[in-house]
Amino acid sequence: MDIRMAGREEIGLVYEIMQEAFREYAGVLQPPSGALGEKPEDLLPLFEAGGGAVLAWEAGRAVGSARYKRDGDRDALYIGRVAVLPDCRRRGIGEALLGYLEELARGLGYSRTTLGVRLSIPGNVSYYERHGYRPVEKHEYPCGRDSWYIMSKELQRWEEGGRSA
């Protein structure tokens, strides 16, 4: 597997992976996932504001994506829309995407990463908890039918030679 930064010319690919991965939530989540209402051009402001996306590749096929941006309110790197194609799940792709973005965050000088997770998808909450994320805030949707956590992970610093500090 190879993970690399997505270029602006790959916005359509990042979008397609996210749409296919989030399709299982269509008609299930209330309110609906904002991911399913996006258009490819909705990703442009992310790139223009200094954020971006990464793509995971296997055998020349893009199989996963995730987005990132500065979370200025928390002085952290926000990770969003982590998406793995349904036929490629349970192979460590999501974990690899997280690890890549956590390393990116360290390289940019952040000491933590954040992400948002709906409570109506408890499997996702426990997935991120297994990867060191902890709830730091709980929010309710205005309709009162669902809520979500902002989860955060403190990143270890790395000294020269690869030892954690």
Side-chain angles (χ1 to χ4, degrees), residues 48-143:
E48 291 167 357
V54 295
L55 288 163
W57 296 83
E58 279 188 342
R61 176 184 178 212
V63 296
S65 68
R67 303 178 196 180
Y68 66 92
K69 65 180 180 179
R70 181 175 187 267
D71 186 347
D73 293 341
R74 295 171 190 85
D75 194 32
L77 188 75
Y78 182 84
I79 299 171
R81 305 278 198 250
V82 177
V84 176
L85 296 176
D87 66 322
C88 298
R89 292 181 181 157
R90 304 208 182 282
R91 298 199 320 232
I93 297 166
E95 182 176 8
L97 288 164
L98 281 176
Y100 186 96
L101 289 170
E102 290 165 3
E103 284 299 315
L104 175 66
R106 280 187 196 95
L108 293 172
Y110 293 107
S111 61
R112 60 194 169 119
T113 52
T114 58
L115 46 80
V117 184
R118 281 196 188 222
L119 273 65
S120 61
I121 312 173
N124 286 358
V125 174
S126 61
Y127 175 84
Y128 290 112
E129 286 176 331
R130 286 192 308 274
H131 288 89
Y133 287 82
R134 298 292 170 251
V136 293
E137 295 175 18
K138 183 179 179 184
H139 299 271
E140 301 285 330
Y141 286 97
C143 68

